[in-house]
Amino acid sequence: MRPDDHVCLCFRVSLRKLQNHLERERPTVASQLSECLGAGTGCGWCVPFLRRLHAQHAAGTLPALDESHEEYARRRTAYRAGRREGTYDRLPSDPMAAEPDRSPASPVRVPLTQLRRGQRAIVDCANLADLPEGERCLLHAMGMHDDCQLRVCSPGAPCIVQIDDTRLGISAEVARRIMVTPIEDGDRRAP
Amino acid sequence: MSAGPDAARPTPRIAVLGNPNTGKTTLFNRLCGVRARTANFPGSTVEGRIGMHRSPAGHVELELVDLPGSYSLSIDVPEARVCRDCLQGSLDGVEPDAMLVVLDATNLRRNLQFAAQALAHRLPAVVALNMWDTARARPECVDPAELSRRLGCPVVPVSGRTGEGLAALDVALDTVVDLPFGADALVARLQRLPPADATQAMLASWADQVTRAAAPAAATPARDADDSLVDRVDVALTHPFVGIAVFAVTMAALFSAIFMVASVPMDLIDLVFGRAAEAVRSALPEGLLADLLADGIVAGIGGVLVFLPQICLLFFLLSLLEDSGYLARAAFAVDRVMRRFGLSGPSFVPLLSSHACALPGIMSTRLIRDDRERLATILVAPFMSCSARLPVYVLLIGILSVGRPAWFAGAAFVACYALGAMAGLLTALLARRTVLRGPARPLVLELPPYRVPALRNALLVTWDRALVFLRNAGTTILAISVVMWWLSAFPRSDGPDARSQQAGSFAGQLGEAVAPAFAPLGFDSQLTVGVLTSFLAREVFVSTMGVLAGAGSDADVSDRTVLEQVAAMPRADGTPVFDPATAAAALVFFVLAMQCLPTLAVTRRETGSWKWPAIQFGWMTLVAYAGALVAHAAVRAWGGAA
Ligand SMILES: Nc1nc2c(ncn2[C@@H]2O[C@H](COP(=O)(O)OP(=O)(O)O)[C@@H](O)[C@H]2O)c(=O)[nH]1
Ligand code: FES
Ligand SMILES: [Mg+2]
């Protein structure tokens, strides 16, 4: 993996940033790496790798990962796909993945496409990491960022949502990847 | 450090920027009116406008640059690049002296994220809090004074729609370009903003904080009651069936309106220029000069202006539709269908416009964000049956349907349009799989609020488009007309009639030389001349054939219409030129061929290289030839069997 490759794909934290953070802050436990731009607090995939980097630094070597980035990203996608289908529920036991709201085990997280018209929800953009960079940035800039609140105007895939006073039309392939936590009737899943 | 106007550059430049749909253009139009021109920024497909403004009270003239709207300054899309370049002065070498950041007061939180990025630049700034007419009425209205304190620059509530607040804006702009902008002012401002490398999440939380402070009531969620009505309308307009049906009806209405309304000024232009040509002829002694002026220049100018009514109407109506908020919904609704062909929702309108004329169609592809998709759309736009093909269809279908049931002609017309559209869409699919391969961009589209469209904006857009067309395409079309006249007028023959002139001219000689290539389609040398001249502009076909047919038979010419004359045209061996197989082949050829030099010129302009017009021309000619060959063989076989 090259220094500019992202180790934490959810929060786009590069290897270089982590190296610098380790050098500057000298964290005593691996979980403190989450202070570096939230690394490891998304899907949790990168947590074992963050631990490895921390251990390398503690041992006095330059933290590095020898996996190719493509392979790394591919395995993460598989990990997340498996988790979505429930075949992979071994969750990272590391404290840094324990942020309650985003806990991957949280039962109420559903794809945006499952909400009903008028329903409100809190957005989690973690799964958008496989979108092309440009699209993801655009979506963020249009107002669709982590923890923002949206309201469904036209349900399904594609769908229309409203964030503040902005209405966004979102095509099916993007909408399916946006995970949300409903805040109204949150316990009753839409059919 | 930029410090207001200096002697060398008397007009200070002000960059106008903001999110899309915040009313930048409306405000710009208010300030500059027609004292503005469209500016094509080097190396970019997006365009902006540059205009001059003098405030009634102030004495300084200001140069305003209306930049394309962008959701963020840090993302890698053309609009953001243009904005960044402009702020840094690398756009056209002129560094702006100040910026006018336009914010939508009814959607403050998102707009503030953009403002933070813009204000981080080292330029004096004024923030215009636009849409004040709407925002003021809301309970969660923002307090401009508090916002100004939070942003560290003047904040002026204005309405581009009603014009309120413009006087205050003038004062703010005058002041800001007059006063020196020191490092301390910048530092004071930067202290209030998020750090320069802030992530979108940090920008969002900063914007949230500022919104809470400046508009305490805005933190509450949006109003449900009126939203639910808009929701219902949105659901309907983007429904896979209802939405597409509504779109089809809207577009059908739009184009019938264009056809009907534009035909009046078009006929008028034809008439006026026909008269003018006659007048020129009678005023000048017979000879070359008269020919050049009448057939080359006057006819050429007429040939340019005749496109103008359609172009103006199309852009006027489209601008109204876009302003109303409907067009974004329509693009969203047709996205699914267009995706099958490697295109997306925003490609639909340009392709549809191309049924009127490919020129405005290609010019309106700027709405398409993805570069490859835009190129694919430009590439296939001329396949759509434009109105210039109509006279040719009338002629050839007229010939084909002699002695056939009445429904035949109608069906043939529909088949021509369908053939062109299918060829275009399949070509798009092919291009997206080969030369323009690339991921289909997932569509994320802002659906702006429904609004009553602003007439003033629409008129200025129309004015702008007309000027762009005249300046760029117009000059090319005129040049082509003169060349075409020259080709058919030289070398001068001593023959008594137009026919011998045609045959002896360069165009005629060329026809003779190229005829073998068209022989498999059943074209004789006369028809080949007709087809060749129509490569410059297809409407010419009918008049060329008319000249050839009329000149060929001296008897009772005046009793027969051009159509009848052409239908009865004999070959050299006396058999009719247009046997059914040949007429069908010619028809298919005209549906599919790229016979419009102005379109090639516009393609060149919009794509910035000759590569795309060359591909367009080569491919369409190939497809047309193959199609015509198949049609000729098929009709032969069918006729033989019958
Ligand atoms: N109510 C209201 N509408 C406005 C105002 N300014 C612009 N609009 C409308 O907002 C829409 C977008 O305006 P436009 O100038 O094209 O925005 P731009 O994309 O930022 O250039 C148009 O429908 C305008 O009519 C305003 O001050 N008040
Ligand atoms: S990759 Fe780091 S949390 Fe998902
Ligand atoms: Mg604009």
Side-chain angles (χ1 to χ4, degrees):
Chain A
M1 213 184 264
R2 290 177 305 267
D4 285 323
D5 289 336
H6 294 152
V7 175
C8 177
L9 290 146
C10 292
F11 291 95
R12 308 203 293 118
V13 187
S14 67
L15 179 57
R16 191 197 308 281
K17 281 196 184 125
L18 288 163
Q19 287 167 341
N20 292 343
H21 185 87
L22 284 165
E23 199 46 50
R24 207 173 46 237
E25 307 290 332
R26 309 199 158 272
T28 47
V29 291
S31 64
Q32 285 173 334
L33 272 179
S34 67
E35 284 159 21
C36 179
L37 302 169
T41 57
C43 66
W45 159 255
C46 60
V47 169
F49 299 90
L50 295 178
R51 275 208 212 99
R52 207 199 293 170
L53 292 176
H54 180 259
Q56 287 168 338
H57 182 258
T61 55
L62 179 72
L65 297 173
D66 22 73
E67 287 79 3
S68 86
H69 191 250
E70 290 69 35
E71 169 70 358
Y72 180 82
R74 199 189 54 71
R75 274 170 54 205
R76 170 171 169 278
T77 310
Y79 157 86
R80 287 150 45 104
R83 217 182 54 196
R84 271 200 290 276
E85 279 147 29
T87 54
Y88 191 114
D89 54 6
R90 188 175 56 81
L91 298 172
S93 54
D94 197 276
M96 29 184 204
E99 198 187 320
D101 258 355
R102 270 203 255 277
S103 160
S106 170
V108 292
R109 265 172 38 125
V110 295
L112 173 58
T113 48
Q114 293 190 9
L115 298 188
R116 293 184 310 273
R117 183 156 72 83
Q119 211 172 359
R120 287 170 195 279
I122 304 284
V123 172
D124 174 357
C125 291
N127 288 29
L128 289 179
D130 350 324
L131 272 191
E133 162 107 18
E135 246 54 47
R136 196 178 47 221
C137 294
L138 185 64
L139 209 54
H140 288 324
M142 285 172 139
M144 173 80 74
H145 48 74
D146 273 318
D147 292 333
C148 75
Q149 200 191 106
L150 59 72
R151 196 179 63 84
V152 176
C153 308
S154 171
C159 65
I160 300 176
V161 301
Q162 181 171 2
I163 301 171
D164 277 342
D165 276 81
T166 309
R167 274 168 192 258
L168 297 180
I170 302 176
S171 66
E173 54 176 324
V174 181
R176 286 202 196 93
R177 294 188 215 197
I178 297 177
M179 298 302 282
V180 295
T181 310
I183 52 177
E184 278 165 23
D185 309 323
D187 48 354
R188 188 153 44 92
R189 280 201 197 187
Chain B
M1 179 145 325
S2 129
D6 55 34
R9 205 167 67 230
T11 40
R13 170 180 278 202
I14 296 181
V16 182
L17 65 172
N19 276 172
N21 288 308
T22 51
K24 291 178 300 302
T25 304
T26 312
L27 201 58
F28 176 91
N29 288 344
R30 272 266 167 204
L31 296 175
C32 303
V34 289
R35 297 181 64 201
R37 64 192 162 84
T38 300
N40 237 316
F41 301 126
S44 165
T45 54
V46 291
E47 53 183 20
R49 295 172 72 216
I50 298 184
M52 302 302 271
H53 166 63
R54 182 194 293 276
S55 64
H59 36 274
V60 262
E61 179 99 325
L62 300 177
E63 184 187 61
L64 269 62
V65 186
D66 182 20
L67 292 166
S70 177
Y71 290 101
S72 161
L73 282 180
S74 56
I75 54 181
D76 191 28
V77 296
E79 302 89 61
R81 245 173 279 141
V82 165
C83 290
R84 283 197 299 265
D85 288 352
C86 178
L87 290 179
Q88 286 154 12
S90 54
L91 189 58
D92 52 2
V94 187
E95 206 177 318
D97 299 274
M99 55 185 160
L100 174 61
V101 183
V102 182
L103 303 185
D104 175 355
T106 62
N107 194 356
L108 200 56
R109 212 184 315 235
R110 191 191 71 192
N111 279 258
L112 279 173
Q113 297 177 30
F114 180 89
Q117 291 186 320
L119 292 176
H121 286 81
R122 173 180 242 171
L123 282 177
V126 174
V127 168
L129 206 49
N130 199 24
M131 313 267 178
W132 193 245
D133 51 332
T134 322
R136 197 182 33 195
R138 296 197 181 171
E140 71 270 21
C141 183
V142 54
D143 171 14
E146 176 63 20
L147 190 60
S148 167
R149 221 171 51 72
R150 295 269 164 177
L151 296 181
C153 66
V155 172
V156 188
V158 296
S159 165
R161 181 57 71 95
T162 64
E164 72 180 284
L166 286 187
L169 184 63
D170 275 337
V171 172
L173 287 177
D174 281 353
T175 318
V176 98
V177 294
D178 273 348
L179 291 180
F181 184 64
D184 40 337
L186 180 70
V187 169
R189 189 163 84 200
L190 287 183
Q191 274 170 353
R192 301 180 166 99
L193 300 177
D197 59 345
T199 60
Q200 203 69 45
M202 291 155 85
L203 287 176
S205 81
W206 174 85
D208 195 51
Q209 235 176 335
V210 175
T211 311
R212 277 170 205 279
T220 56
R223 307 143 310 281
D224 271 338
D226 44 317
D227 282 343
S228 101
L229 175 65
V230 179
D231 285 358
R232 274 166 222 273
V233 176
D234 275 354
V235 169
L237 290 183
T238 60
H239 188 271
F241 304 116
V242 182
I244 289 178
V246 171
F247 185 50
V249 171
T250 312
M251 288 296 146
L254 181 88
F255 285 100
S256 352
I258 290 177
F259 269 119
M260 283 187 312
V261 178
S263 69
V264 178
M266 284 170 85
D267 290 347
L268 201 68
I269 289 170
D270 254 355
L271 192 76
V272 167
F273 279 86
R275 288 275 160 79
E278 277 170 32
V280 168
R281 263 189 199 296
S282 57
L284 290 174
E286 196 164 320
L288 258 189
L289 184 65
D291 279 0
L292 172 66
L293 281 180
D295 295 346
I297 295 184
V298 174
I301 295 176
V304 171
L305 291 185
V306 82
F307 288 113
L308 206 54
Q310 278 188 347
I311 289 185
C312 289
L313 262 173
L314 179 79
F315 279 106
F316 179 72
L317 294 177
L318 274 185
S319 165
L320 290 185
L321 270 189
E322 193 185 351
D323 244 19
S324 74
Y326 173 66
L327 218 51
R329 270 87 180 169
F332 195 59
V334 292
D335 184 60
R336 275 178 258 223
V337 181
M338 301 302 285
R339 217 151 264 276
R340 303 246 161 97
F341 298 99
L343 301 173
S344 70
S347 315
F348 195 82
V349 171
L351 289 184
L352 208 63
S353 319
S354 300
H355 281 99
C357 175
L359 300 186
I362 290 175
M363 281 158 71
S364 63
T365 55
R366 296 186 171 211
L367 295 172
I368 304 171
R369 256 197 276 130
D370 187 87
D371 259 359
R372 288 158 185 271
E373 216 173 282
R374 179 167 171 272
L375 282 174
T377 310
I378 292 178
L379 197 63
V380 307
F383 268 118
M384 307 301 137
S385 289
C386 65
S387 53
R389 283 181 175 96
L390 209 56
V392 183
Y393 289 180
V394 170
L395 176 74
L396 292 175
I397 291 178
I399 291 172
L400 270 176
S401 51
V402 172
R404 283 180 211 276
W407 55 264
F408 181 85
F413 269 107
V414 173
C416 286
Y417 278 86
L419 178 65
M422 275 329 287
L425 289 176
L426 292 177
T427 299
L429 187 62
L430 185 72
R432 293 287 279 149
R433 293 271 162 90
T434 55
V435 281
L436 291 171
R437 183 189 219 103
R441 257 175 90 143
L443 185 71
V444 180
L445 195 67
E446 184 183 353
L447 306 178
Y450 293 105
R451 291 198 175 99
V452 179
L455 208 58
R456 194 192 170 96
N457 280 355
L459 287 174
L460 280 165
V461 166
T462 311
W463 169 248
D464 251 23
R465 287 288 136 197
L467 282 188
V468 167
F469 169 74
L470 288 181
R471 202 176 311 126
N472 297 288
T475 46
T476 323
I477 297 177
L478 188 59
I480 291 164
S481 307
V482 174
V483 168
M484 212 171 78
W485 166 81
W486 183 79
L487 278 179
S488 57
F490 283 89
R492 312 296 287 171
S493 82
D494 310 322
D497 56 17
R499 183 173 188 169
S500 56
Q501 171 63 46
Q502 274 281 3
S505 69
F506 290 125
Q509 291 171 16
L510 204 63
E512 208 61 59
V514 181
F518 285 96
L521 308 182
F523 295 6
D524 78 336
S525 66
Q526 303 171 72
L527 184 48
T528 306
V529 172
V531 169
L532 282 186
T533 54
S534 66
F535 264 99
L536 300 172
R538 35 177 87 83
E539 335 49 310
V540 176
F541 179 73
V542 177
S543 58
T544 309
M545 294 313 282
V547 168
L548 293 180
S553 56
D554 342 65
D556 53 272
V557 172
S558 47
D559 310 351
R560 298 199 288 176
T561 66
V562 174
L563 202 154
E564 285 165 346
Q565 287 174 38
V566 174
M569 247 170 101
R571 289 180 193 246
D573 61 5
T575 58
V577 170
F578 286 108
D579 56 80
T582 304
L587 187 58
V588 170
F589 192 85
F590 271 93
V591 170
L592 299 174
M594 171 75 240
Q595 296 168 300
C596 182
L597 265 188
T599 300
L600 289 174
V602 169
T603 301
R604 148 75 238 246
R605 186 180 104 83
E606 295 289 316
T607 59
S609 89
W610 281 110
K611 177 179 161 200
W612 295 105
I615 291 180
Q616 200 173 43
F617 181 79
W619 170 250
M620 289 185 67
T621 308
L622 192 74
V623 171
Y625 192 88
L629 204 60
V630 170
H632 190 254
V635 175
R636 267 278 154 82
W638 179 71

